Amino acid sequence: MKTSADLKAEILVALAHPNRIRILELLRKDVMCNCELAPALELEQSNLSRHLKILVQAGILNSWKDGLRVNFKVADDRIFKILNVAAAIARRETEKKAEALEA
Amino acid sequence: MKTSADLKAEILVALAHPNRIRILELLRKDVMCNCELAPALELEQSNLSRHLKILVQAGILNSWKDGLRVNFKVADDRIFKILNVAAAIARRETEKKAEALEA
DNA sequence: AAACTATATGAGCATACACTCATATACTAT
DNA sequence: ATAGTATATGAGTGTATGCTCATATAGTTT
């Protein structure tokens, strides 16, 4: 049986990759398809497709077909809270290291 | 040069493991050392030590020596916001799958 | 100093991940 | 039907991760 920590980890594992974070940031405001994301992110098509699959399977993105294309949108805006806090903590850590160098 | 997505990913990668999440939940209220965490989590000492190192290096935990022991505490309570949102999204996803089974 | 306790780390192993190339599938347009 | 476009996936490769066992290091107690 999956514990609560397992469930949280599944979401975070899906998020925890620079390219998947970049995907989410592009989808912050727009709905986009693989074919629009690939050039914007400069990712190989098959690689991007796999990253998107991971995000959809985790429930972070929704997707639907539109003719040839598959469109993607963020399923739950709260995901950006996670990214904001991660950014804040990373910033703090960067500053701490800068101070350590000065001293 | 590290991008903003890289920095966020570093924090999230450090978080994204069930055992590291369990560590944080034990440290939510208390300061604890490896020797107290190990039996509580039923983790091998060396394994736990490595997980703790990852959390410290990411700036998620602070640590200091106290005699033989090394104590750990959460460096920034905002980390729990991340865990709370991850839990909420995971819960939503679980419910969605349950509905899909009923229908 | 010797025995004991707490933590860290090297080595080795199995597994998971990210990536690429080639190919398959699905839909569209002529 | 044919050619073209968008996406998905199999196979292979290199690297990273998580774990364990054994050992090293650091501090404590007698």
Side-chain angles (χ1 to χ4, degrees), chain B residues 33-59:
Chain B
C33 65
N34 195 317
C35 62
E36 290 165 322
L37 289 164
L41 296 167
E42 295 184 288
L43 291 182
E44 223 264 329
Q45 177 270 322
S46 64
N47 187 17
L48 174 58
S49 177
R50 280 177 229 264
H51 281 305
L52 289 166
K53 189 179 181 181
I54 288 168
L55 290 168
V56 170
Q57 284 179 337

Side-chain angles (χ1 to χ4, degrees), chain A residues 32-48:
Chain A
M32 293 174 87
C33 64
N34 195 318
C35 63
E36 291 165 320
L37 288 163
L41 296 167
E42 295 184 288
L43 291 181
E44 224 264 327
Q45 177 269 322
S46 64
N47 188 17
L48 174 58

